[in-house]
Amino acid sequence: MGCWEVDADTLARSRFVVSALAETTAGLFTLMAGTAAHPGERSWLRAHLPAWRQRLARDPVDALLLAAAIRPRWTADFLVPVPAARPGNPAPNNPARANPAPAGGHETAFEAELARLRATPAETVHADLRVALGGPLPAILRQNDLAARAADLLAWVWHETIAPTWPRRRRVIEADIAMRSERLSQGGWAAVLDDMRPGMRWLGEGRLQINAYDNPPRDLSGAQLLFVPVTPERGWVSWDLPHRYAVLYPCWGPLAEHGAVAVPDALGRLLGPARAGVLVLLATPMTTTQLVALTGQGLGSVGRHLKVLLESRLVRRQRLGRAVLYARTALGTALADAHDLADARD
């Protein structure tokens, strides 16, 4: 599907959504690929890939199901449903309204999304797999429990690999949403969408290129369009025809890579762990909103840390449109790097 035709009403109703199931599905794709996009993802794979492969080895049907559903150019539709857009309190007059997950209850939200996948009729699963394979199903996959099997595999990925770090992952996702919302206010949709995923860009005049494939355009007039960030370096599109579409995309690289930021011990002792963490994160320019989301600290705490770092000339600030960005100065970078090297020598 090369291009989506999106009218003004569809853009006005679009929203960003946080989805635990989408994050889990992206984790599943990473486990199946067995390759990492950055050091944090590499550590995650080292920790979980052996157990995942043991899980698949116990049941050849599960392994064949995923091999049939996840293809180089197509993923079976049933495995990537459009995430639920939960009711929220969107900001007025903001066309890219964030719809974050509540601070608690993420387990319930995940199970509710998974239940929709689990309930997929067998004939739908079989049809989707035939499309993904481009041919008939192997005899071993002509059974009626494939949706339940897929749901059980995703539940394993969630409980074993995603749920323990979901609060941090959600902060990274919310920081990405904050960053893109700021870009939207400054540069319009082109500024938000052009780097969202490989092959995707805003062409103008209501045309959104989804990928580089030569497929007929699809008219999304009157449909709901969701943008769903995930922290693994994976992306895809999904739809619930004819009225709901979603673009699932990897969080902005520096945010995802810094999600598990490590604070050098010596720097933490010098500045305090929380303030040192802010300085480390500011290797990439960020707003206060992004720092709050990534650190999990309150707005007041982040503001106080920034005030001290500014007065110490370790960070600087600059205005970009209506946003204020903070970044390390040369002195701040030298301090952080020196203590990072000191930790490495120890």
Side-chain angles (χ1 to χ4, degrees):
M1 184 168 297
C3 184
W4 288 353
E5 296 175 348
V6 184
D7 62 14
D9 288 342
T10 296
L11 286 177
R13 289 194 303 272
S14 66
R15 66 173 65 226
F16 289 98
V17 172
V18 179
S19 168
L21 179 59
E23 180 77 0
T24 303
T25 304
L28 170 69
F29 291 161
T30 303
L31 288 167
M32 291 298 292
T35 58
H38 52 75
E41 201 165 84
R42 193 172 301 117
S43 298
W44 181 84
L45 270 176
R46 280 200 302 268
H48 300 296
L49 190 56
W52 168 249
R53 288 176 171 167
Q54 290 174 11
R55 169 69 175 80
L56 281 188
R58 290 200 297 269
D59 193 326
V61 176
D62 287 348
L64 286 172
L65 169 60
L66 292 181
I70 304 171
R71 311 298 295 173
R73 284 189 52 170
W74 195 265
T75 298
D77 288 355
F78 81 93
L79 192 62
V80 285
V82 175
R86 291 173 294 278
N89 297 305
N93 303 319
N94 182 357
R97 299 169 291 179
N99 187 202
H106 54 264
E107 186 75 32
T108 301
F110 171 79
E111 293 296 344
E113 287 195 278
L114 192 64
R116 294 169 52 225
L117 187 154
R118 194 182 294 276
T120 307
E123 56 269 23
T124 300
V125 175
H126 294 163
D128 291 347
L129 287 173
R130 285 194 292 269
V131 171
L133 286 168
L137 281 182
I140 195 172
L141 294 181
R142 296 172 192 167
Q143 50 186 285
N144 295 330
D145 66 342
L146 298 183
R149 285 176 174 271
D152 288 344
L153 289 165
L154 283 165
W156 186 96
V157 175
W158 165 257
H159 290 295
E160 299 296 327
T161 78
I162 303 295
T165 56
W166 175 243
R168 177 190 63 78
R169 290 169 179 265
R170 187 179 63 220
R171 290 196 298 271
V172 173
I173 289 168
E174 290 172 351
D176 179 276
I177 291 173
M179 181 271 293
R180 293 188 188 275
S181 296
E182 289 163 4
R183 280 192 177 184
L184 177 62
S185 67
Q186 297 157 14
W189 284 104
V192 177
L193 301 176
D194 278 355
D195 68 344
M196 192 170 267
R197 55 190 298 266
M200 179 171 163
R201 62 193 182 103
W202 180 248
L203 301 176
E205 300 180 352
R207 294 176 301 138
L208 175 61
Q209 179 179 302
I210 293 298
N211 54 43
Y213 300 150
D214 186 18
N215 294 328
R218 182 179 290 272
D219 187 359
L220 270 64
S221 298
Q224 181 184 40
L225 179 58
L226 306 177
F227 298 103
V228 189
V230 294
T231 64
E233 191 69 16
R234 307 288 161 181
W236 64 96
V237 295
S238 61
W239 47 79
D240 182 6
L241 299 177
H243 299 304
R244 300 180 71 236
Y245 292 78
V247 175
L248 297 99
Y249 67 91
C251 285
W252 188 46
L255 290 178
E257 292 169 25
H258 286 306
V261 64
V263 176
D265 289 340
L267 187 64
R269 291 194 298 271
L270 179 67
L271 300 178
R275 187 168 298 146
V278 170
L279 183 63
V280 171
L281 284 169
L282 288 178
T284 299
M286 294 186 185
T287 66
T288 304
T289 303
Q290 292 166 343
L291 288 168
V292 168
L294 284 173
T295 63
Q297 302 176 43
L299 180 61
S301 296
V302 170
R304 287 190 292 273
H305 296 323
L306 287 172
K307 183 175 184 294
V308 172
L309 294 171
L310 283 164
E311 291 173 347
S312 303
R313 299 186 180 182
L314 298 177
V315 304
R316 56 182 172 80
R317 63 183 171 191
Q318 66 183 81
R319 182 168 291 278
L320 183 62
R322 288 184 289 178
V324 176
L325 291 176
Y326 295 85
R328 289 197 313 224
T329 62
L331 178 60
T333 297
L335 182 65
D337 289 350
H339 284 82
D340 198 18
L341 287 172
D343 274 13
R345 286 195 297 269
D346 291 345

